Amino acid sequence: MSEPVVVIRDLHKEFRRDAIRIPVLSGMNLEMAEGDFLSLMGPSGSGKSTLLNLIAGLDKPTSGTVIVVGEDLSDLTEGELAQWRSRYIGFVFQLYNLIPVLTAYENVELPLTLTGLSRRERDQQVKTALDVVGLADRMDHFPRQLSGGQEQRVAIARAIATDPTLLVADEPTGDLDAQSAGEILDLMQRLNSEFGKTIIMVTHDPHAAERASRQLHLEKGVLVDDVSVTATNQEQP
Amino acid sequence: MTVLGTGLVVWAMVLTFGLTDGLEHALRISGHPLDIIVLRKGATDETGSSITPQQAQELATLDGVARNANGEPMCSAEFVTILTKPRRNNGGTTNMIVRGVETIGRDLRPDFEIVQGRDLRPGLNEAITSASMASRFENLSLGEKLEINRVDFEIVGFFEAGGSAAESEVWTDIRDLASARRTPDAVTTVNLRVSDESAEQSLIATIQDDKQFNLKAIEETQYYEDQMTSAIAIKFVGYVIALFLTIGAMFAAANTMYAAVANRSREIGTLRALGFRRRSILFSFLFESVLICVLGGVLGCLATLPFNGLTTGTANWATFSEITFSFRFGPTVLMRGVLIALLTGLVGGLFPAIRAVRMQIVNSLREQ
């Protein structure tokens, strides 16, 4: 069996507001295998986004270990973390976070500029990524010329363009109508099943969570439920 | 707004620099490195000096005095007087230098040339001046008559003298002027050129040391340098204004960039999440700020071009007369303007850029 993509041991995270310490994650343990599609559910303030940020190397734990793609993140400096993220992590945000002055093509190309690939190789990867999300014909469009669902698909293309090991998605359907949300979830499921991408997704939406192969429930910083879903459940649209 | 603000600041500063540069240039080129000005001992400028015609003649015979193509000594006895005359367009009155010269005096000015009308003829109470003087003073246009002690001098020509201080004067024949002033044979200054640099100091020493002469000789370059007080004053005021304007522009640039950082927090967070390093983001914000300010700077410089060569005047505090000169926007002046814009962008953009990269990624991503 291959090494887990995510290993979390006794993870604590607390925030400070002046002199007050607010614990967000308390002693969490978690493992995530390669090819997992994991959804993180829980009420607001339960710590799911914090957990996602820690796994993605955007934040540092107060204590405990976060090992992602074989790398103990607490050992990395700020600069090394940035490089690590560009190589192993693909981000999908709730509000898409596309750069408004760049076209769909340029937005997808953005993370590739950090890889040292030649222009031709970048071009190939951008087109492949846009093809996967079904927006090859919109590559010259600016974000404002696209619908919300299309913007999110461009954002997904950006996330997969560098072929990262782990995709992290923070409420990817939170700002979309039901139909667009369904399309985005279809796409994510496809990325998981067809392309073998390991995905971790934070969501409020139980229907979205059901698309994942494994559902985690957090409450007050503690993992209260860990359910693996059968393949049949996942197939539903 | 920042482009416009920086543009205005650079425009104002380049104008000031162009002004002082023009004035300095006018005074600098007025002094020929081989020319000597001889004045009465104790006189600080030509108007306060007095020399006898005999002394002037003797000076011409001294060793080391250069000779022109005709073999004449390049030694010009001149009579300088100051008149108070009305400016054009009801600009009040101001002092004007009138110089009585001999023919040889023209050879001692850089690039002396009659550009309109003709040169004056001695004995006919004729005068010549520059076009810029004619535009600033009443009665100096071609054919007009300038009254000196109730004697009318007709303006018969305009000359140029390489933009030197001579272009701030009215020239007549020395004897016509002395006669009108009722001071026959008066000489205030002797202007002479030495044959070579080595002769200069020995000639100066000869003149200074001769007790009978009781005269002082100064290098012409030094003489005009001493008159640069007004240029220095304008420059000082200019630099003080420039400093405050630049600080103001830096705040404007900082304000724009702070707003840019605030509006783009999420973008900054996204870029950093994707793996862009802090310094890339710092440089991109600095670059943007510099670009905005340099664009303003270039526009500001372009906006000064209509003033290039425009003639203006200021008081020469040594002679209390008006000196006319042109704005000069050479590459140095314009480059200085663009450099200030660049500095404005750098300093103005620095703190917002630092703020942009110091934000926590997680917090930036949360911004709307």
Side-chain angles (χ1 to χ4, degrees):
Chain A
M1 190 179 156
S2 63
E3 206 177 309
V5 176
V6 178
V7 179
I8 289 171
R9 297 266 177 270
D10 194 24
L11 178 66
H12 290 262
K13 176 69 184 177
E14 56 188 33
F15 293 109
R16 281 170 184 272
R17 293 271 181 280
D18 302 320
I20 308 163
R21 294 195 302 188
I22 307 159
V24 181
L25 295 173
S26 313
M28 177 167 294
N29 291 292
L30 177 71
E31 275 195 17
M32 205 180 151
E34 195 175 346
D36 262 1
F37 182 2
L38 189 147
S39 68
L40 271 175
M41 294 269 287
S44 291
S46 58
K48 49 190 191 306
S49 288
T50 303
L51 178 62
L52 191 78
N53 290 335
L54 289 166
I55 292 170
L58 296 177
D59 205 356
K60 295 231 171 185
T62 309
S63 68
T65 314
V66 180
I67 298 170
V68 183
V69 206
E71 195 79 60
D72 188 339
L73 300 189
S74 47
D75 291 344
L76 300 182
T77 63
E78 185 92 30
E80 287 166 341
L81 259 181
Q83 201 176 9
W84 176 85
R85 283 195 301 270
S86 69
R87 194 158 163 203
Y88 296 110
I89 308 291
F91 289 92
V92 182
F93 303 97
Q94 181 179 356
L95 298 170
Y96 337 125
N97 291 17
L98 298 176
I99 308 296
V101 293
L102 302 181
T103 60
Y105 180 97
E106 291 162 340
N107 265 292
V108 177
E109 194 188 19
L110 203 58
L112 290 167
T113 58
L114 295 166
T115 56
L117 292 177
S118 71
R119 183 180 281 265
R120 181 183 289 184
E121 289 167 322
R122 289 207 304 266
D123 179 67
Q124 207 168 11
Q125 286 196 231
V126 171
K127 285 177 177 161
T128 308
L130 281 167
D131 212 30
V132 168
V133 302
L135 283 176
D137 56 337
R138 297 297 190 101
M139 63 169 75
D140 294 327
H141 289 221
F142 288 95
R144 65 173 182 279
Q145 297 168 314
L146 301 171
S147 70
Q150 288 169 330
E151 277 196 75
Q152 192 61 297
R153 280 198 274 159
V154 173
I156 290 173
R158 178 178 66 186
I160 58 172
T162 54
D163 193 21
T165 311
L166 179 64
L167 281 184
V168 296
D170 194 356
E171 305 261 15
T173 56
D175 205 48
L176 297 175
D177 58 62
Q179 193 192 336
S180 303
E183 285 167 9
I184 292 300
L185 291 166
D186 287 345
L187 179 57
M188 290 182 70
Q189 255 184 331
R190 208 179 123 219
L191 289 173
N192 176 243
S193 56
E194 201 174 309
F195 297 91
K197 290 285 161 210
T198 311
I199 302 174
I200 176 163
M201 168 177 78
V202 163
T203 181
H204 268 110
D205 177 6
H207 295 297
E210 281 170 12
R211 301 289 198 99
S213 56
R214 189 175 161 200
Q215 297 170 16
L216 299 186
H217 284 258
L218 263 75
E219 259 175 50
K220 295 179 182 169
V222 180
L223 209 53
V224 292
D225 206 3
D226 185 345
V227 181
S228 286
V229 185
T230 59
T232 350
N233 276 350
Q234 281 188 66
E235 289 306 317
Q236 69 182 6
Chain B
M1 272 311 279
T2 307
V3 173
L4 201 69
T6 317
L8 271 174
V9 168
V10 169
W11 177 79
M13 286 192 301
V14 169
L15 273 190
T16 314
F17 294 146
L19 191 81
T20 51
D21 205 42
L23 181 56
E24 281 181 343
H25 174 77
L27 292 172
R28 199 177 309 118
I29 63 154
S30 301
H32 188 285
L34 289 178
D35 283 3
I36 291 174
I37 287 185
V38 183
L39 303 170
R40 178 176 59 82
K41 224 167 218 164
T44 53
D45 65 83
E46 293 180 277
T47 53
S49 168
S50 169
I51 296 174
T52 65
Q54 290 74 26
Q55 283 176 325
Q57 277 165 15
E58 278 177 54
L59 287 170
T61 63
L62 291 176
D63 281 344
V65 175
R67 290 180 178 268
N68 67 7
N70 301 329
E72 297 161 327
M74 290 181 78
C75 176
S76 168
E78 295 174 3
F79 175 52
V80 175
T81 187
I82 286 186
L83 302 176
T84 306
K85 290 291 174 192
R87 277 196 186 134
R88 285 203 191 276
N89 306 323
N90 293 325
T93 58
T94 189
N95 288 344
M96 166 204 293
I97 292 183
V98 180
R99 183 180 294 271
V101 289
E102 295 175 312
T103 321
I104 194 81
R106 289 150 180 77
D107 293 349
L108 287 152
R109 265 60 185 199
D111 308 320
F112 180 91
E113 187 188 4
I114 297 287
V115 290
Q116 212 180 328
R118 58 172 173 82
D119 204 348
L120 64 92
R121 283 177 299 197
L124 295 174
N125 290 343
E126 290 178 345
I128 52 175
T129 187
S130 68
S132 63
M133 282 292 280
S135 68
R136 296 180 69 79
F137 282 96
E138 296 276 4
N139 306 320
L140 287 188
S141 295
L142 285 183
E144 285 188 327
K145 290 189 166 65
L146 177 73
E147 181 255 308
I148 304 175
N149 278 29
R150 297 202 194 127
V151 177
D152 284 340
F153 282 75
E154 188 185 345
I155 308 294
V156 295
F158 287 158
F159 65 83
E160 277 178 5
S164 68
E167 289 186 11
S168 303
E169 300 172 345
V170 175
W171 282 14
T172 69
D173 175 63
I174 184 167
R175 271 162 285 277
D176 290 351
L177 179 62
S179 146
R181 282 302 235 173
R182 295 180 186 86
T183 50
D185 302 330
V187 174
T188 53
T189 325
V190 171
N191 216 317
L192 54 85
R193 180 159 302 168
V194 292
S195 49
D196 55 71
E197 265 177 58
S198 57
E200 192 166 26
Q201 288 312 316
S202 64
L203 193 61
I204 288 176
T206 312
I207 298 167
Q208 304 258 54
D209 296 345
D210 193 318
K211 292 279 185 289
Q212 276 188 316
F213 272 157
N214 197 30
L215 296 175
K216 76 165 175 186
I218 14 177
E219 290 166 45
E220 200 176 47
T221 45
Q222 184 63 44
Y223 177 78
Y224 282 108
E225 219 162 86
D226 294 344
Q227 295 195 2
M228 285 204 199
T229 346
S230 44
I232 292 165
I234 294 178
K235 209 175 192 172
F236 178 74
V237 173
Y239 276 120
V240 171
I241 295 172
L243 180 74
F244 283 106
L245 284 178
T246 309
I247 293 172
M250 280 172 184
F251 275 107
N255 195 34
T256 302
M257 294 314 294
Y258 270 125
V261 169
N263 288 336
R264 283 186 244 154
S265 292
R266 207 145 52 86
E267 271 177 49
I268 295 166
T270 307
L271 289 174
R272 288 195 52 209
L274 293 182
F276 285 88
R277 289 177 176 237
R278 282 176 194 265
R279 64 165 179 270
S280 319
I281 290 167
L282 183 93
F283 282 128
S284 71
F285 269 94
L286 273 184
F287 181 71
E288 178 175 337
S289 168
V290 166
L291 198 71
I292 288 173
C293 290
V294 167
L295 178 68
V298 170
L299 288 178
C301 285
L302 288 177
T304 62
L305 290 183
F307 292 87
N308 195 19
L310 191 80
T311 308
T312 185
T314 183
N316 179 339
W317 295 106
T319 57
F320 294 104
S321 58
E322 181 144 296
I323 174 162
T324 65
F325 58 93
S326 303
F327 282 94
R328 269 168 63 90
F329 303 113
T332 329
V333 169
L334 295 178
M335 195 53 80
R336 231 185 292 171
V338 174
L339 266 179
I340 282 171
L342 193 116
L343 194 74
T344 305
L346 266 184
V347 177
L350 185 65
F351 295 101
I354 289 175
R355 184 182 171 171
V357 298
R358 286 189 66 169
M359 285 193 293
Q360 293 288 321
I361 304 177
V362 178
N363 294 339
S364 334
L365 285 171
R366 254 186 236 127
E367 298 281 334
Q368 290 305 304

